Amino acid sequence: MNPESSNLGAGDMRDRFYSIIENRIDRKTFQHQHWTGSLDEYLDIVASNPSVARSAFQRVYDMILSHGWEKYRVFKKDLIRYHFFSDPFDNGADAVFGLDGALMQLVDFFRSAAEGYGTDKRILLLHGPVGSSKSTIARMLKKGMEAYTRTDDGALYSFSWMLDEHCAPGDMTHEFMCPMHEEPLRLAPQSARADVLAAVNENYNPTYHRGRIRVEGELCPFCRKVMADLMRHYDGDWRQVMKHVNVRRIALSEKDRIGIGTFQPKDEKNQDSTELTGDINYRKIAQYGSDSDPRAFNFDGELNIANRGVCEFIEVLKLDVAFLYDLLGASQEHLIKPKKFAQTHIDEVILGHTNEPEFKRLQSNELMEAFRDRTIKIDVPYNIRLDDEIRIYQKDFGPERVRDIHIAPHTLDVAAMWAILTRLEDPKKADLTLMQKMKLYNGKAISGYTEDSVKELMEEATREGMNGISPRYIQDKISNTLVSPQAIDERGVNPFMVLNELERGLDHHSLLTDDEMKKHYKEMLSLVLEEYEDVIKGEVQRAICADEEAIARLCQNYIENVRAYTQKERVRNRYTGKDDEPDERLMRSIEEKIDIPDSRKDDFRQEIMNYIGALALDGKKFEYNTNARLYKALELKLFEDQRDTIKLKNLVSSVVDDETQKKIDVVKQRLIKNFGYNENSATDVLNYVASIFARGDSKGD
């Protein structure tokens, strides 16, 4: 662009640039989050708010609960949904769906650790199939801690030493941060620590647990060395030593390597335990004269820098055995052993995750009993509830993410349905299909199955969710479909395109080598297609009979006849003016649509009248859509009465008369308005449903 043609001058652009930046930065908030002060000032903060000295486990637990939770009951099982795992930080980008049971176990682990009941001395191991959200949960915990420590509720503090340029007593011109971001209360000598903590705990009333403030262990080797030098310099005057201490508020940050560490295994030949516990700084040996001087050591291993926060081990069981030995002391005793230094105390959550083959190898290795004994495993399975699985794909492929291509209704649903079916075990009950089992798990009522029986189904299938198709595979195939030439040309994607892509991908699935299993999964795609056909036939039926006035008239007629039947009265014929017997043919034609047998018609009719009477007692009016079961029957009856007037089967022919076309256009607009189709997808669905009727498919007629 020619600078002279722009209406925005160079100076104006500069002012606008700075204005935008300054409006985004709140200086008061920045200064508050980067507070510095003396130890005396920090002790005043502790006196008024002892929670600043919480342990890492207490802080993580409080962080999760600070976002709230809700209790609910499903299949006679009490569950809790913690809002933290909906990712309130990035608008749900890392939200975890449908794993409330596993997440409850995770939060219980942190609760026990916060109380000091022993799980704070264990390694937390998330175990499950690939793509089951293990990494997402770990990422959420780290991201949550970063955000929480920037709030007043999550504030924490560390300290630095004011010394001369040689890191020695003298002029306080240079600042040396504690390399492990330790709690300032650890500066209290061990002999006085218990009394100090007793005074702190007098004012500590935690919101979410009953744990106490505990500050254990000695200072890190660097701070211990500085402390010893200063104590000699001031002849044991601890108060004078503390004048060299500068306390500062810190915010945990993975990028800045403060309180959050992540370790990923590399090639076995290149693994070095110093990556966990730090290494010698050879350039400083000449300055300080010894490689055992802590000032010549970099305490920058992942376990060092993760102190006060979280250390994540990706695929932890792929670590070399020497690394796993380091984790034994880090978990049980909260101690690590830097090279040439005494054991050093750490306060952090050690979190690992692994898949099933690696865990089975651990179980079969007798030499790893100590590691297994220090590990608490939490299974993180795949979703087995359809609605939760659908939410995963809506997050990635919803209207706000995919704007230029129309995704037809049920496209994501059929993909999720197939994924769930691959994860379920075949039901042991002969009268229950796999599709019905999936619907039961999703909360749909099926005759003959109660909450107790669904609970039994879940309890007898202990491996459900630990096998099957990963959400990643589904996401990849939906992505492939969205960029396919057909999708780009038609500016739309429909369920058939996605189902075809899912089937094609099975032949090249990197984790699926069993031909029988591939065949089994392809058969499930046929089940999904059948279910989809039923769904769209139902939508077309509702679009055809969406005349509310007609449904209301039919409902009124039915209720009048049912009332007369149950009270053994006659019905006034509005056309002839005579009193006739209740219209049995009409009543049965409606009741048969929802599978009411002739032997139960009296019970059903009495139930309807009782339902209407109960509404009247509550001051409510009965409408045609008040009772969902009756409403469905009325829709099906009206569809049966009207579909011949529309002649849906004629859609597959090349000639459609004007009158039929007008009726079809009305139905199409209802599909667009009520079900989310666009012009093309509504036409496709109508044509497909018409072809079903044309080929004589009687199912659902």
Side-chain angles (χ1 to χ4, degrees), residues 53-71:
R54 283 169 294 179
S55 70
F57 285 92
Q58 290 171 332
R59 203 176 299 275
V60 170
Y61 180 71
D62 289 344
M63 169 195 70
I64 294 172
L65 268 66
S66 68
H67 292 277
W69 67 91
E70 57 183 291
K71 295 181 179 180

Side-chain angles (χ1 to χ4, degrees), residues 13 33 138 182 281 312 329 342 350 463 469 578 595 615 629 634 696:
M13 183 63 209
Q33 292 177 349
E182 292 180 295
N281 187 333
E312 176 194 6
I350 299 178
R463 292 284 304 165
I469 291 295
K578 296 181 180 180
D595 301 324
L615 287 176
R629 198 174 182 198
L634 294 169

Side-chain angles (χ1 to χ4, degrees), residues 38 47 49 73 81 102 209 215 227 247 269 346 356 371 455 466 470 480 563 569 583 594 607 623 628 631:
S38 66
N49 182 21
R73 188 174 176 84
R81 180 175 293 116
H209 58 84
V215 179
M227 183 83 163
V247 179
K269 296 180 180 178
I346 58 172
E356 195 155 22
F371 182 80
K455 184 179 178 183
M466 298 302 287
S470 159
N480 290 349
R563 183 183 60 80
E569 296 177 353
D583 190 344
I594 50 175
E607 286 173 11
E623 303 285 354
Y631 182 46

Side-chain angles (χ1 to χ4, degrees), residues 351-559:
L351 166 68
H353 44 90
T354 190
N355 54 41
E356 195 155 22
E358 295 290 342
F359 185 74
K360 286 182 177 178
R361 189 175 70 174
L362 171 68
Q363 287 180 308
S364 62
N365 187 348
E366 295 181 356
L367 299 177
M368 296 305 298
E369 285 186 359
F371 182 80
R372 293 203 304 270
D373 191 49
R374 287 170 170 81
T375 300
I376 291 182
K377 176 175 73 74
I378 295 178
D379 288 333
V380 183
Y382 292 136
N383 274 319
I384 56 173
R385 190 171 185 273
L386 179 60
D387 286 348
D388 290 323
E389 189 74 9
I390 292 172
R391 291 170 69 192
I392 294 175
Y393 309 129
Q394 287 176 335
K395 179 184 69 174
D396 294 326
F397 305 106
E400 66 283 353
R401 296 289 298 275
V402 182
R403 299 180 181 178
D404 55 343
I405 292 181
H406 175 73
I407 299 180
H410 311 298
T411 300
L412 304 181
D413 301 10
V414 297
M417 194 181 302
W418 179 66
I420 297 295
L421 289 176
T422 66
R423 301 166 189 171
L424 299 181
E425 296 181 11
D426 289 327
K428 296 178 181 178
K429 298 181 183 293
D431 62 337
L432 185 68
T433 66
L434 196 63
M435 183 66 71
Q436 288 174 321
K437 185 179 185 181
M438 181 194 71
K439 292 179 180 178
L440 283 173
Y441 281 10
N442 203 42
K444 184 173 181 179
I446 294 179
S447 179
Y449 286 88
T450 63
E451 285 194 357
D452 285 329
S453 52
V454 177
K455 184 179 178 183
E456 289 176 9
L457 285 173
M458 290 182 166
E459 289 175 349
E460 70 184 14
T462 56
R463 292 284 304 165
E464 281 184 333
M466 298 302 287
N467 296 302
I469 291 295
S470 159
R472 287 182 189 147
Y473 177 81
I474 305 293
Q475 291 163 330
D476 291 345
K477 298 311 166 189
I478 294 174
S479 299
N480 290 349
T481 308
L482 286 169
V483 298
S484 66
Q486 181 181 355
I488 294 173
D489 290 344
E490 299 178 6
R491 299 187 67 80
V493 170
N494 62 48
F496 298 104
M497 297 164 64
V498 170
L499 289 174
N500 290 337
E501 182 66 26
L502 291 173
E503 183 173 7
R504 281 194 297 268
L506 284 176
D507 293 330
H508 310 287
H509 197 298
S510 59
L511 301 178
L512 200 60
T513 57
D514 188 342
D515 290 338
E516 284 298 316
M517 188 59 69
K518 290 180 182 179
K519 181 180 177 182
H520 182 53
Y521 285 174
K522 289 180 180 180
E523 290 172 355
M524 291 180 181
L525 285 168
S526 301
L527 296 178
V528 172
L529 180 58
E530 290 178 12
E531 182 66 21
Y532 172 64
E533 289 180 351
D534 286 345
V535 170
I536 58 176
K537 281 192 292 186
E539 287 183 344
V540 171
Q541 288 172 354
R542 291 195 292 277
I544 289 174
C545 62
D547 186 344
E548 294 186 4
E549 292 183 2
I551 295 180
R553 288 194 300 271
L554 180 62
C555 180
Q556 183 181 3
N557 196 6
Y558 174 76
I559 295 299

Side-chain angles (χ1 to χ4, degrees), residues 178-366:
C178 169
M180 293 178 58
H181 320 296
E182 292 180 295
E183 163 60 44
L185 291 182
R186 189 166 286 160
L187 291 165
Q190 282 284 9
S191 59
R193 188 84 56 83
D195 292 335
V196 169
L197 293 178
V200 171
N201 280 308
E202 287 178 4
N203 297 327
Y204 182 47
N205 294 304
T207 305
Y208 305 112
H209 58 84
R210 297 184 300 275
R212 304 281 81 191
I213 298 296
R214 303 185 302 274
V215 179
E216 301 169 341
E218 297 283 354
L219 291 167
C220 72
F222 173 82
C223 294
R224 188 175 171 82
K225 165 69 174 172
V226 172
M227 183 83 163
D229 289 349
L230 287 170
M231 288 290 283
R232 282 193 294 270
H233 180 75
Y234 290 109
D235 197 22
D237 189 338
W238 182 85
R239 188 180 287 271
Q240 284 294 112
V241 171
M242 291 302 102
K243 291 182 179 180
H244 287 263
V245 172
N246 188 31
V247 179
R248 62 172 59 233
R249 181 173 171 181
I250 60 172
L252 302 192
S253 170
E254 184 172 16
K255 292 183 177 64
D256 296 328
R257 291 174 61 79
I258 300 175
I260 296 179
T262 303
F263 186 82
Q264 187 167 2
K266 303 178 180 63
D267 186 290
E268 290 186 4
K269 296 180 180 178
N270 295 326
Q271 290 187 19
D272 185 352
S273 61
T274 59
E275 294 180 57
L276 293 182
T277 56
D279 200 3
I280 297 169
N281 187 333
Y282 291 97
R283 290 190 303 173
K284 291 186 177 181
I285 293 177
Q287 179 180 354
Y288 296 112
S290 170
D291 61 359
S292 61
D293 190 311
R295 294 171 296 181
F297 193 89
N298 292 330
F299 293 93
D300 60 355
E302 293 303 318
L303 290 174
N304 299 103
I305 64 100
N307 191 41
R308 311 290 303 282
V310 178
C311 190
E312 176 194 6
F313 285 83
I314 299 172
E315 295 295 344
V316 63
L317 299 185
K318 286 187 171 69
L319 289 172
D320 184 76
V321 174
F323 280 71
L324 296 180
Y325 288 154
D326 283 329
L327 294 185
L328 298 183
S331 58
Q332 181 70 34
E333 287 81 24
H334 292 184
L335 294 172
I336 58 174
K337 180 65 174 66
K339 186 188 298 183
K340 294 196 174 184
F341 291 99
Q343 290 183 316
T344 302
H345 189 88
I346 58 172
D347 169 30
E348 61 196 65
V349 176
I350 299 178
L351 166 68
H353 44 90
T354 190
N355 54 41
E356 195 155 22
E358 295 290 342
F359 185 74
K360 286 182 177 178
R361 189 175 70 174
L362 171 68
Q363 287 180 308
S364 62
N365 187 348
E366 295 181 356

